[in-house]
């Protein structure tokens, strides 16, 4: 347990500078990356908002898109999906229309 | 001089044009917000303004506005449209007589008797300008009785507010989300930095045990590598018995408001995982795990090497053992007894010590049969304490260098070695059999596909076969004919 305490004496020093290897980040294939659920949900809501003209759906797409952006780890791989979600929200989503029908309206 | 100054001014232009990474996202988000704001402003201005010729005031006709609330059509004037076709013409047209405003405060409803045959809804010219009826109240009637006041008007929310409820809720949520992002990010960074300042700076436990600290190969390199907003990595190398150590801090997603709300319902801990990559010659044939009872059962079922080589080890009678909360999974009792030494029991895993210092313990897993690039590996999993109480983890973190040395020096007895070798050879045979079976299955599939193809061909009618034969015959005939070269005489 106390292997680190007696590091003052050279004989018991566990350090070996000659064996030190610099850190090499592991190469992760795009298919091995964890699924970006929030990005996928953003796309689904964005398309729903565009097709059915639901402003709530478009707003939810923006929220999930923000979540996807916030949780992004590997920028290069996630970029496509998030940009797709952004586009579907921006281009087609009926966000600002005050008279657009609500999804849950009676 | 002027040239120089101009080049200085123009220097940042390419960097602005070719944005990358997070900057691009910030600009994109800003652009989208501005575009949304622009849309909102234009829409609201169009809806609010009644300056267009022929458009009346919305307040004049409550019933009509209620009926047209859901439609996107502009509100029509409450006055009845004038009849544009007249049967006779007057030579001396008079200006239209303006009747005095009626005493009745309610505006006149359009009569149903007026024909709409020649009325064009899109025609705005020639509509009379409607003046709202002014009804100055006398001081006597300044307070109308309760019976006269309309109950609907008091309870009804203004339509403009009602139509923007979704926007208000969503925008406020987004603002909260952005605010939480920065606060949560700061919290996570504080936890990671407090851990690093406790265990990875000068004269700390890792500095005394490893010659290289941090992810870079220079001296002034950052200790922590930030992989995400809640994932931080610390790397150390240059120690006997091992190639290196990688500590991964997986913190709660405090930066994400949705995850934070979810974590309130389903609580989870901040975790730190130490992966120690052992040298090939340093580690003997050891498969060992220690975890809380529930977690140990799950590990035994799910982790491949534990499932294949190890079993749950019961507590021996003649010596001290780990706390009842913990379960030991090992290849043999001998290995378990050697790895759970007196020192470890006194420091962390004993009855008294575990209550004080073992709160953050999750699991240990040592194996020479790990699946992945590094076969021989030691895995330590601990729960992180909050930034102010990092000292509570000292004994748990001290287990890492202790076990590196213990396993680096550890040698199995001849009996235990023969058992482990037998188990490994058996596992290798099983793996080889599985591979052969997979190959055979693939061959059988191919054969089945070929058979299906043959059957399909056999099912073809005789005529089709005859046609095929004729085609082949004609092709062969063409091949058999002598080739005559045609040359054109000049």
């Amino acid at each position: 347990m106390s292997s680190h305490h007696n590091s003052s004496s050279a004989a018991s020093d566990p350090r070996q500078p000659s064996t030190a290897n610099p850190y090499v980040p592991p190469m992760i294939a795009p298919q091995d990356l964890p699924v970006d659920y929030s990005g996928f949900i953003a796309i689904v809501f964005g398309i729903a908002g565009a097709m059915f003209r639901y402003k709530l759906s478009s707003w939810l797409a923006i929220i999930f898109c923000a979540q996807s952006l916030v949780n992004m780890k590997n920028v290069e791989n996630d970029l496509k999906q998030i940009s797709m979600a952004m586009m579907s929200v921006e281009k087609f989503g009926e966000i600002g229309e005050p008279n657009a029908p609500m999804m849950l309206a009676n | 001089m002027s040239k120089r100054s101009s080049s200085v001014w123009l220097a940042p232009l390419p960097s602005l044009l070719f944005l990358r990474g997070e900057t691009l996202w910030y600009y994109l988000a800003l652009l989208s917000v501005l575009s949304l704001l622009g849309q909102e402003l234009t829409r609201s201005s169009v809806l609010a303004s009644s300056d267009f010729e022929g458009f009346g005031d919305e307040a004049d006709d409550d019933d009509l506005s209620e009926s047209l609330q859901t439609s996107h059509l502009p509100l029509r004037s409450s006055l009845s449209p004038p009849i544009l076709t007249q049967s006779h013409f007057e030579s001396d047209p008079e200006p239209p007589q303006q009747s005095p405003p009626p005493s009745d405060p309610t505006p006149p409803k359009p009569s149903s008797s007026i024909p709409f045959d020649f009325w064009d809804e899109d025609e705005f010219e020639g509509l009379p300008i409607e003046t709202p009826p002014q009804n100055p109240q006398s001081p006597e009637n300044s307070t109308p009785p309760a019976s006269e006041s309309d109950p609907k008007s008091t309870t009804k929310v203004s339509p403009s507010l009602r139509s923007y409820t979704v926007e208000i809720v969503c925008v406020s949520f987004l603002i909260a989300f952005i605010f939480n992002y920065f606060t949560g990010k700061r919290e996570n960074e504080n936890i990671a930095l407090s851990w690093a300042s406790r265990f990875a700076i000068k004269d700390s436990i890792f500095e005394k045990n490893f010659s290289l600290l941090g992810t870079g190969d220079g001296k002034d390199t950052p200790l922590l590598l930030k992989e995400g907003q809640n994932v931080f990595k610390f790397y150390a190398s240059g120690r006997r018995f091992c190639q290196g150590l990688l500590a991964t801090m997986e913190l709660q997603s405090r930066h994400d408001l949705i995850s934070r709300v979810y974590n309130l319902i389903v609580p989870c801990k901040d975790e730190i995982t130490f992966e120690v990559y052992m040298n090939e010659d340093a580690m003997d044939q050891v498969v060992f795990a220690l975890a809380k009872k529930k977690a140990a059962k799950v590990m035994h079922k799910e982790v491949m090497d534990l499932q294949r080589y190890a079993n749950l080890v019961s507590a021996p009678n003649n010596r001290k053992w780990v706390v009842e909360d913990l379960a030991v999974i090992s290849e043999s009792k001998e290995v378990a007894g050697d790895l759970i030494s007196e020192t470890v029991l006194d420091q962390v895993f004993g009855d008294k010590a575990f209550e004080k210092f073992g709160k953050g313990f999750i699991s240990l897993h040592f194996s020479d049969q790990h699946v992945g690039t590094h076969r021989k590996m030691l895995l330590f999993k601990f729960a992180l304490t909050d930034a102010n109480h990092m000292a509570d983890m000292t004994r748990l973190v001290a287990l890492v260098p202790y076990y590196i040395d213990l396993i680096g020096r550890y040698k199995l007895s001849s009996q235990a070695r023969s058992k482990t070798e037998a188990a490994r050879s058996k596992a290798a045979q099983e793996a080889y059999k599985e591979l052969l079976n997979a190959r055979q299955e693939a061959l059988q599939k191919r054969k089945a596909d070929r058979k299906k193809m043959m059957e399909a061909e056999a099912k073809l009618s005789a005529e089709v076969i005859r046609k095929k034969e004729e085609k082949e015959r004609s092709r062969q005939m063409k091949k058999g004919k002598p080739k005559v070269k045609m040359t054109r005489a000049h």
Side-chain angles (χ1 to χ4, degrees):
Chain A
M1 196 73 189
S2 58
S3 62
H4 62 282
H5 292 306
N6 49 7
S7 62
S8 54
S9 59
S12 63
D13 189 6
R15 290 177 289 189
Q16 289 179 348
S18 57
T19 62
N21 306 312
Y23 176 68
V24 180
M27 293 296 289
I28 303 164
Q31 61 264 22
D32 296 333
L33 280 166
V35 182
D36 181 21
Y37 290 108
S38 49
F40 175 70
I41 293 164
I43 288 171
V44 170
F45 275 123
I47 292 164
M51 289 174 77
F52 307 118
R53 316 293 260 185
Y54 289 139
K55 63 178 175 183
L56 182 66
S57 183
S58 297
W59 275 110
L60 285 170
I62 282 183
I63 287 161
F64 280 109
C65 199
Q67 190 190 15
S68 186
L69 266 169
V70 155
N71 291 322
M72 191 164 59
K73 284 181 189 175
N74 197 323
V75 179
E76 289 78 29
N77 291 314
D78 291 351
L79 200 66
K80 283 180 187 175
Q81 200 172 32
I82 293 169
S83 58
M84 173 68 184
M86 273 281 196
M87 279 163 64
S88 61
V89 168
E90 287 297 312
K91 295 280 179 188
F92 314 112
E94 290 296 307
I95 292 156
E97 284 199 22
N99 293 325
M102 282 279 291
M103 193 185 282
L104 305 171
N106 294 327
Chain B
M1 189 70 189
S2 63
K3 272 185 184 179
R4 236 180 89 188
S5 64
S6 65
S7 65
V8 167
W9 282 108
L10 291 168
L13 274 173
S15 63
L16 280 169
L17 289 169
F18 305 105
L19 295 166
R20 279 188 179 84
E22 286 189 3
T23 330
L24 179 69
W25 282 114
Y26 290 139
Y27 278 111
L28 194 71
L30 191 69
L31 193 72
S32 62
V33 168
L34 285 170
S35 67
L36 278 172
L37 195 69
Q39 283 176 19
E40 287 298 323
L41 288 169
T42 51
R43 279 203 190 93
S44 59
S45 63
V46 166
L47 286 167
S49 66
S50 59
D51 302 332
F52 293 115
E53 194 181 355
F55 275 69
D57 192 16
E58 280 182 41
D60 291 349
D61 200 355
D62 260 350
D63 299 331
L64 197 64
S65 66
E66 275 176 19
S67 65
L68 291 170
Q69 199 173 2
T70 51
S71 69
H72 295 278
L73 293 169
L75 296 174
R76 210 191 307 150
S77 172
S78 61
L79 288 174
S80 59
I83 301 164
L84 298 176
T85 53
Q86 291 177 344
S87 56
H88 64 280
F89 293 95
E90 288 178 17
S91 58
D92 190 19
E94 289 177 11
Q97 296 287 325
Q98 284 191 346
S99 59
S103 58
D104 188 31
T106 55
K109 299 272 188 299
S111 59
S112 58
S113 61
I114 297 165
F116 281 85
D117 300 337
F118 305 105
W119 170 245
D120 185 8
E121 282 186 349
D122 298 330
E123 185 62 59
F124 300 132
E125 287 183 21
L127 285 175
I129 298 159
E130 190 186 336
T131 52
Q134 291 175 347
N135 192 16
Q137 286 185 336
S138 58
E140 296 164 7
N141 296 338
S142 59
T143 53
S147 59
E148 283 179 27
S149 63
D150 189 14
K152 278 186 183 178
S153 61
T154 53
T155 55
K156 195 169 78 175
V157 185
S158 62
S160 59
L161 260 175
R162 194 194 295 155
S163 60
Y164 286 110
T165 45
V166 178
E167 281 84 348
I168 291 161
V169 169
C170 292
V171 167
S172 56
F173 182 83
L174 277 171
I175 290 161
F177 192 93
I178 292 159
F179 179 75
N180 179 75
Y181 171 74
F182 291 107
T183 54
K185 185 182 168 185
R186 202 184 303 127
E187 274 180 64
N188 278 351
E189 281 172 1
N190 286 344
I191 291 167
L193 287 168
S194 66
W195 183 89
S197 62
R198 181 79 199 175
F199 301 110
I201 55 162
K202 205 176 180 184
D203 296 329
S204 64
I205 186 167
F206 286 114
E207 203 269 332
K208 287 174 182 175
N209 277 277
F210 293 90
S211 58
L212 173 70
L213 300 177
T215 51
D217 49 2
K219 280 193 174 181
D220 297 322
T221 52
L223 284 171
L224 294 172
L225 172 74
K226 190 177 181 180
E227 205 172 75
Q229 300 301 338
N230 63 324
V231 179
F232 297 86
K233 289 193 173 183
F234 165 75
Y235 179 77
S237 185
R239 193 194 193 281
R240 64 181 175 215
F241 306 129
C242 70
Q243 294 168 27
L245 169 143
L246 183 69
T248 308
M249 281 177 261
E250 286 185 19
L251 310 176
Q252 289 176 41
S253 297
R254 290 180 177 87
H255 63 286
D256 178 10
L257 188 60
I258 297 165
S259 298
R260 191 170 245 192
V261 170
Y262 178 75
N263 287 340
L264 288 172
I265 303 156
V266 183
C268 74
K269 292 176 181 176
D270 296 325
E271 286 180 11
I272 186 163
T273 308
F274 294 93
E275 293 175 19
V276 182
Y277 312 117
M278 298 296 284
N279 293 332
E280 285 296 316
D281 57 339
M283 189 175 181
D284 213 334
Q285 294 172 340
V286 173
V287 175
F288 171 83
L290 176 67
K292 288 183 179 174
K293 282 187 175 175
K294 277 186 182 178
K297 281 179 183 176
V298 173
M299 279 173 80
H300 194 226
K301 280 181 184 176
E302 290 179 1
V303 182
M304 198 66 192
D305 56 336
L306 294 177
Q307 190 183 324
R308 193 171 278 179
Y309 303 107
N311 291 306
L312 283 157
V313 176
S314 56
N317 300 321
N318 56 346
R319 59 163 289 184
K320 275 206 288 183
W321 201 240
V322 293
V323 197
E324 285 182 2
D325 298 349
L326 301 176
V328 180
I329 305 164
S330 180
E331 203 166 356
S332 65
K333 278 192 177 183
E334 183 193 311
V335 171
D338 291 340
L339 293 182
I340 298 166
S341 60
E342 289 284 331
T343 318
V344 166
L345 290 169
D346 290 339
Q347 294 288 318
V348 184
F349 300 126
D351 290 318
K352 288 177 183 176
F354 194 76
E355 284 175 21
K356 280 187 181 180
F357 308 107
K359 285 174 188 173
F361 176 77
I362 297 169
S363 69
L364 303 177
H365 179 204
F366 311 149
S367 179
D368 68 315
Q369 296 293 314
H370 266 288
V371 181
T373 50
H374 298 277
R375 296 281 285 174
K376 298 186 174 185
M377 206 156 83
L378 313 183
L379 274 171
F380 302 83
K381 218 174 213 180
F382 308 132
L384 276 167
T385 54
D386 62 315
N388 302 322
H389 299 90
M390 277 295 163
D392 298 351
M393 279 192 74
T394 310
R395 288 200 186 185
L396 287 173
V397 174
L399 287 170
V400 178
Y402 175 78
Y403 270 117
I404 292 170
D405 281 333
L406 183 63
I407 283 180
R409 292 196 185 101
Y410 183 65
K411 291 285 175 279
L412 284 165
S413 66
S414 56
Q415 276 186 330
R417 186 178 290 280
S418 62
K419 276 185 183 179
T420 56
E421 279 175 357
R424 274 153 184 72
S425 61
K426 193 182 176 183
Q429 280 178 353
E430 281 176 8
Y432 183 67
K433 277 180 184 177
E434 279 177 14
L435 191 74
L436 280 173
N437 287 337
R439 280 182 184 174
Q440 280 180 346
E441 278 178 14
L443 279 168
Q444 281 176 351
K445 272 187 180 179
R446 279 182 193 171
K447 280 182 181 178
D449 288 340
R450 278 181 192 170
K451 270 188 180 180
K452 278 182 182 177
M453 288 283 283
M454 292 285 281
E455 282 172 9
E457 279 181 12
K459 278 178 185 176
L460 287 169
S461 61
E463 287 176 16
V464 177
I465 293 164
R466 205 182 304 134
K467 278 181 184 177
K468 272 189 179 179
E469 283 174 359
E470 279 176 14
K471 276 184 182 178
E472 279 178 18
R473 212 176 292 145
S474 62
R475 206 181 292 148
Q476 282 174 358
M477 288 282 281
K478 278 179 185 176
K479 279 182 183 177
K481 279 181 183 177
K483 287 180 181 178
V484 182
K485 275 191 178 180
M486 298 287 285
T487 55
R488 193 163 54 179
H490 295 289

